[in-house]
Amino acid sequence: MRDVTLAKPIDMSEGFADFFATIGLSGSGLVTKGVAAVIAVIAVRMLLQLSADPKTALRKGSMAIGTLFVAVILALYGSTLFSTVTDKPASSTAPNKNG
């Protein structure tokens, strides 16, 4: 019988950092997905609490659909959106423009 390897072994001795690296999430990516999940739960709750009045239901339903849309966009593209935010640049030895 042949020795079959389904997946190469991965060293997980670093704990959560190794696990999230294997699934492609950093700390900021995990926070982004968590925020998107919370917004999605709020949007679904808004959809479940629609009233019987058609005018009010249409207004609140459209707000809930918009909120759900924001949650989906944040889940898909949140890491790209927030990757443009960087730390404060280190002070350089270049002279200031003011003098």
Side-chain angles (χ1 to χ4, degrees), residues 4-57:
V4 178
T5 303
L6 296 176
K8 71 177 190 173
I10 298 173
D11 179 27
M12 292 282 190
S13 61
E14 297 276 327
F16 283 114
D18 284 337
F19 172 71
F20 290 125
T22 59
I23 62 173
L25 281 180
S26 62
S28 62
L30 186 63
V31 169
T32 304
K33 299 285 192 244
V35 169
V38 168
I39 293 174
V41 167
I42 291 170
V44 169
R45 184 168 181 229
M46 287 169 65
L47 279 172
L48 293 175
Q49 292 182 342
L50 293 179
S51 66
D53 179 36
K55 190 175 183 180
T56 307

Side-chain angles (χ1 to χ4, degrees), residues 57-68:
L58 184 62
R59 184 173 51 86
K60 288 186 177 182
S62 62
M63 285 177 51
I65 295 296
T67 305
L68 193 59

